[in-house]
Amino acid sequence: MKKCPFCAEDIRDEAIKCKHCGEFLDASRQPRISAQQIEWYFRKSFIVIAILCVGPLALPLIWWHPQMTRAWKIGLTIVILVLSWILVQMSIDSIRMIKEYYQLLKDL
């Protein structure tokens, strides 16, 4: 028998979860927060919609997400920033091409 580090009750040596307080004794086996318990603004669907609408301005939703690992946060940040940069460059090129097209029409 050993004592639970959370409630100090006696539990078996092989115990993974305390039967008195319900806490997991091994941190690597803790269950993740269920989808219903997570705040609405941390749900995947909301984050995807926010990224599609406001791009990199939605990055705080990723960085404050309680379940996402640091590696995922860094990876998604890099991907979002690179895609945003590519879209800005494409927009600038499109505007330049439209100006050239209108200049050609004006010269006719």
Side-chain angles (χ1 to χ4, degrees):
M1 300 293 278
K2 63 181 178 181
K3 292 215 180 264
C4 172
F6 300 101
C7 67
E9 292 288 333
D10 286 330
I11 54 174
R12 292 185 175 185
D13 290 332
E14 306 88 31
I16 297 172
K17 183 177 177 182
C18 177
K19 67 180 180 178
H20 302 287
C21 66
E23 291 289 334
F24 282 88
L25 304 174
D26 183 10
S28 65
R29 293 183 180 243
Q30 285 186 345
R32 293 214 173 249
I33 300 171
S34 71
Q36 286 118 5
Q37 292 176 340
I38 196 165
E39 296 289 337
W40 62 271
Y41 46 83
F42 287 135
R43 296 203 177 134
K44 289 178 186 175
S45 58
F46 182 79
I47 292 175
V48 168
I49 291 169
I51 289 170
L52 292 175
C53 291
V54 294
L57 296 176
L59 285 175
L61 291 173
I62 292 173
W63 280 95
W64 293 333
H65 197 285
Q67 294 178 343
M68 203 173 295
T69 64
R70 182 176 297 274
W72 271 102
K73 291 175 182 180
I74 292 170
L76 286 173
T77 299
I78 291 170
V79 168
I80 290 169
L81 290 176
V82 167
L83 286 176
S84 297
W85 182 78
I86 290 171
L87 288 173
V88 166
Q89 292 300 317
M90 289 174 63
S91 298
I92 291 171
D93 289 341
S94 296
I95 291 170
R96 187 176 302 126
M97 291 172 74
I98 290 172
K99 284 182 179 179
E100 291 173 7
Y101 178 72
Y102 280 127
Q103 188 63 35
L104 286 173
L105 288 176
K106 187 177 176 183
D107 291 341
L108 289 177

